Amino acid sequence: MNLLSLGIDLVAIIVLAFGVYFQRYRRREVMVAMIGLNVGVLAVSTALTGASVGLGLGLGLFGVLSIIRLRSSELSHAEVAYYFVSLAMGLLAGLTFDPTWLGQTLIALLVAVMFLADHPALFGGYRHQVLTLDRAITDEMELRTELSTLLGAEIKQFTIQRVDQVRDTTVVDVRYRVRTATPLAAESATDDERVGASSPAH
């Protein structure tokens, strides 16, 4: 096994798990699973490369591991992507490439792609919710207006999941963009200014 590839993979999974994923999602159990999966796949792929087995077995292992789900809790689509990338990095680090820098470059590329693709600044104002309204609304234009007023947002897409005429409720899956997304730091600064302005002068 190339020791440089091993070092790059370990640095990459630490950056991805601690520096990118945990800072954005704060789920320790998923972060631990990502690191364990990465190191485990690295060890197995390295052993398969050194043993007298075909590449097909290694790819078969990759296919089996790629369909594993964490049964303890649900994962979002973004978290599944992190999970899959950690698996892919371990496999890339354990396999032998010609030229050798190809696998190392792909590992770095995966980390960079996840950092940029899941950055909060990219489509940060877009949200997704499943709402239950206390009215049975079948008219889509009326429902759009109701959702826009309720959420204070620009409605991009919505799907009516259920209309209950007996209980007078509507369940709708809605995707929207908030009109004003004030950063938390700015909100905190504004609150501090208000407190300072309301304090009596000495």
Side-chain angles (χ1 to χ4, degrees):
M1 178 179 60
N2 191 320
L3 293 180
L4 179 58
S5 295
L6 172 60
I8 290 176
D9 177 67
L10 293 178
V11 172
I13 191 59
I14 289 174
V15 171
L16 183 69
F18 288 91
V20 181
Y21 174 80
F22 190 73
Q23 296 300 319
R24 296 175 183 176
Y25 294 89
R26 302 292 178 176
R27 295 184 64 179
R28 179 182 178 276
E29 69 280 5
V30 178
M31 182 189 68
V32 172
M34 287 171 53
I35 297 174
L37 178 66
N38 175 267
V39 176
V41 171
L42 171 62
V44 174
S45 59
T46 301
L48 291 177
T49 301
S52 57
V53 295
L55 181 60
L57 180 57
L59 294 177
L61 173 67
F62 179 79
V64 171
L65 291 175
S66 66
I67 62 174
I68 293 177
R69 293 183 56 196
L70 294 181
R71 299 295 181 178
S72 59
S73 60
E74 290 295 327
L75 294 177
S76 66
H77 291 293
E79 289 175 316
V80 170
Y82 280 100
Y83 198 57
F84 183 81
V85 164
S86 66
L87 187 158
M89 291 194 310
L91 188 61
L92 289 171
L95 296 177
T96 301
F97 290 90
D98 186 20
T100 56
W101 52 261
L102 178 59
Q104 302 162 6
T105 303
L106 290 174
I107 291 174
L109 178 63
L110 287 173
V111 175
V113 167
M114 291 305 299
F115 174 79
L116 295 175
D118 192 39
H119 198 282
L122 186 64
F123 302 111
Y126 283 79
R127 305 286 188 270
H128 170 231
Q129 288 192 54
V130 177
L131 301 177
T132 301
L133 306 179
D134 59 352
R135 292 175 54 203
I137 306 176
T138 57
D139 183 88
E140 292 193 357
M141 292 301 297
E142 181 183 356
L143 180 57
R144 179 180 291 273
T145 302
E146 179 75 13
L147 292 172
S148 179
T149 303
L150 177 64
L151 297 171
E154 179 183 354
I155 306 302
K156 293 298 183 179
Q157 183 182 7
F158 64 91
T159 302
I160 300 175
Q161 295 187 341
R162 185 174 66 255
V163 177
D164 193 326
Q165 298 282 3
V166 176
R167 295 182 177 85
D168 198 23
T169 59
T170 303
V171 179
V172 56
D173 184 308
V174 56
R175 301 175 189 273
Y176 59 96
R177 182 173 66 87
V178 293
R179 295 192 176 99
T180 56
T182 304
L184 294 178
E187 292 179 356
S188 300
T190 303
D191 293 339
D192 292 339
E193 292 173 359
R194 290 173 181 172
V195 171
S198 61
S199 301
H202 295 286

